[in-house]
Amino acid sequence: MADFDQLQAQLGYTFKDAELLRLALTHPSVTHELGAEVQTNQRLEFLGDSVLGLVLTRELYLRFPRYQEGPLSAARAQLVNGRTLAQQARRLGLDQHLIFSRGEKANQGRGRTSAMADAFEAVIGAIFLDGGFDAATEFVLRSFADAFGELNAIPSLENPKGTLQELLQKNSLEAPQYETISVRGPEHDRDFECVVRHGGIELGRGKGKSKKLAEIDAASAALISFTPKNTNENPQSSPVREAP
């Protein structure tokens, strides 16, 4: 096993039970060589995923009291995805410490985004078990300090239409419907206005110099006011947009 002291210095946390750290670094591929009874980091990854989500959700909730679920969920999704978690893992040097099977090593498992992301979440789970929620919170917020710690506004959405669809499909298989309701101006300089609906309910309106831009603007407007009750509990009313 590689030097635990060096790794723990990188993590900024010293384990009371170093076996938890070893377990967090044990890739599931080892079961193919050592048998199904060998413990791997899958259970810790499951735990760490929930701890990470809770820490960042609480921080977003406290920082941005005027935002509803939609933009808060979108901001969390930007902070926590496989690519960003893998970057965190590599920054900490976890790729140099992961325990793989010989076959997985030969297939360059250390470079796989999924393996890196899972290991990072497993380390969070291990810290949570070893030092409690406060220790895990400190580690998470320190890890995300550059991307998150100095935020004074919700991050801009890279894909508002996709984010809106993901949020709506948590409760329904129906996709949002976009409709262009007006086109104004000469052919070389048109202004489009679009509405997005779900289940017959208007969620937002947007404008843009093309149909695509108007749809993106409508999705962004819907996300600002999106809550589950907008589409499920109160089908007779439209959501009220809240200014950030």
Side-chain angles (χ1 to χ4, degrees), residues 125-138:
I127 292 174
F128 172 74
L129 290 180
D130 190 74
F133 185 69
D134 288 345
T137 297
E138 182 180 344

Side-chain angles (χ1 to χ4, degrees), residues 30-76:
V30 301
T31 60
H32 300 304
E33 291 181 354
L34 302 179
E37 297 301 319
V38 176
Q39 292 190 358
T40 70
N41 66 5
Q42 285 182 307
R43 283 167 50 83
L44 282 176
E45 181 268 328
F46 167 76
L47 177 62
D49 175 70
S50 295
V51 174
L52 175 62
L54 178 57
V55 171
L56 294 184
T57 297
R58 183 178 72 169
E59 193 71 6
L60 284 164
Y61 180 88
L62 294 174
R63 283 174 178 265
F64 306 108
R66 298 181 63 189
Y67 280 90
Q68 301 296 329
E69 179 191 11
L72 292 175
S73 295
R76 185 181 58 195

Side-chain angles (χ1 to χ4, degrees), residues 66-109:
R66 298 181 63 189
Y67 280 90
Q68 301 296 329
E69 179 191 11
L72 292 175
S73 295
R76 185 181 58 195
Q78 280 191 238
L79 291 166
V80 184
N81 58 62
R83 178 178 56 82
T84 58
L85 297 186
Q87 289 173 347
Q88 293 287 353
R90 294 188 182 99
R91 178 184 62 80
L92 294 167
L94 297 186
D95 53 328
Q96 302 303 312
H97 297 269
L98 283 178
I99 304 168
F100 289 102
S101 68
R102 288 188 295 272
E104 189 68 15
K105 283 183 181 178
N107 289 327
Q108 299 182 329

